């Protein structure tokens, strides 16, 4: 129901394909490993400190890594998948102008309160839609090029 039609479904499919093409899964695994190594190094460095001090530092490290590194990078990957998805969509012959309409329907479907953007893995609905609108002119070059060949 949210997709609405083939163009809406294309938005979803190209977004997910873009994640695969950009190897976001690999990047997340690498980030998790680096974060885990950082936590291990901190844990070793704190071995001689009291348990409460260790717990406080580890909690601060975990929160800092999540809010300062992992979540912003996840939002960046989502935005990259949106941008690449627009181009893929255009190359496949679908009008990129459908993307903001799809994401608006998705936002309406979710409803309710969302966490603040800095605590989310995804851009806020408003940020996402505005950024996509700004990227449509680039995608339209591919759409118009494809249409001129037909």
């Amino acid at each position: 129901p949210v997709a609405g039609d083939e163009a809406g479904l294309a938005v979803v499919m190209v977004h997910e394909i873009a994640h695969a093409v950009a190897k976001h899964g690999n990047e997340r695994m690498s980030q998790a490993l680096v974060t885990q190594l950082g936590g291990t190094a901190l844990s070793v460095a704190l071995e001689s400190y009291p348990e409460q001090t260790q717990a406080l530092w580890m909690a601060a490290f975990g929160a800092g890594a999540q809010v300062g590194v992992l979540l912003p990078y996840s939002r960046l990957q989502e935005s990259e998948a949106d941008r690449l998805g627009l181009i893929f969509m255009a190359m496949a012959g679908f009008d990129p102008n459908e993307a903001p309409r799809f994401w608006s329907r998705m936002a309406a479907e979710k409803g309710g309160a969302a966490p603040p953007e800095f605590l989310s893995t995804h851009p806020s609905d408003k940020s996402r839609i505005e950024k996509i609108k700004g990227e449509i002119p680039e995608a339209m070059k591919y759409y118009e090029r494809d249409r001129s060949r037909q």
Side-chain angles (χ1 to χ4, degrees), residues 2-71:
V2 176
D5 57 20
E6 284 184 355
L9 187 57
V11 174
V12 176
M13 291 178 66
V14 296
H15 175 85
E16 296 307 325
I17 289 168
H19 277 304
V21 168
K23 299 185 178 180
H24 289 159
N26 295 356
E27 290 175 1
R28 286 183 187 163
M29 287 176 59
S30 295
Q31 277 186 322
L33 181 59
V34 169
T35 302
Q36 187 177 19
L37 288 172
T40 301
L42 181 60
S43 180
V44 168
L46 296 172
E47 279 180 338
S48 63
Y49 289 85
E51 236 177 86
Q52 272 188 312
T53 302
Q54 290 179 34
L56 284 170
W57 276 101
M58 293 306 291
F61 172 79
Q66 187 71 12
V67 174
V69 177
L70 299 175
L71 290 175

Side-chain angles (χ1 to χ4, degrees), residues 15-146:
H15 175 85
E16 296 307 325
I17 289 168
H19 277 304
V21 168
K23 299 185 178 180
H24 289 159
N26 295 356
E27 290 175 1
R28 286 183 187 163
M29 287 176 59
S30 295
Q31 277 186 322
L33 181 59
V34 169
T35 302
Q36 187 177 19
L37 288 172
T40 301
L42 181 60
S43 180
V44 168
L46 296 172
E47 279 180 338
S48 63
Y49 289 85
E51 236 177 86
Q52 272 188 312
T53 302
Q54 290 179 34
L56 284 170
W57 276 101
M58 293 306 291
F61 172 79
Q66 187 71 12
V67 174
V69 177
L70 299 175
L71 290 175
Y73 200 73
S74 182
R75 289 190 299 274
L76 184 65
Q77 289 175 330
E78 287 298 318
S79 294
E80 182 179 35
D82 288 339
R83 185 182 144 282
L84 291 173
L86 280 176
I87 292 168
F88 296 163
M89 181 178 183
M91 292 171 81
F94 291 96
D95 184 353
N97 288 294
E98 177 57 30
R101 292 189 284 266
F102 166 80
W103 290 111
S104 293
R105 290 192 302 271
M106 179 68 89
E109 179 74 16
K110 285 190 306 189
E117 188 170 25
F118 78 95
L119 292 177
S120 178
T121 57
H122 289 66
S124 70
D125 296 323
K126 182 180 178 188
S127 294
R128 169 178 256 161
I129 292 165
E130 289 306 311
K131 187 163 180 137
I132 288 171
K133 285 179 180 178
E135 293 167 339
I136 287 176
E138 178 188 7
M140 288 303 289
K141 294 174 190 172
Y142 295 91
Y143 183 65
E144 290 162 0
R145 183 181 325 158
D146 182 59

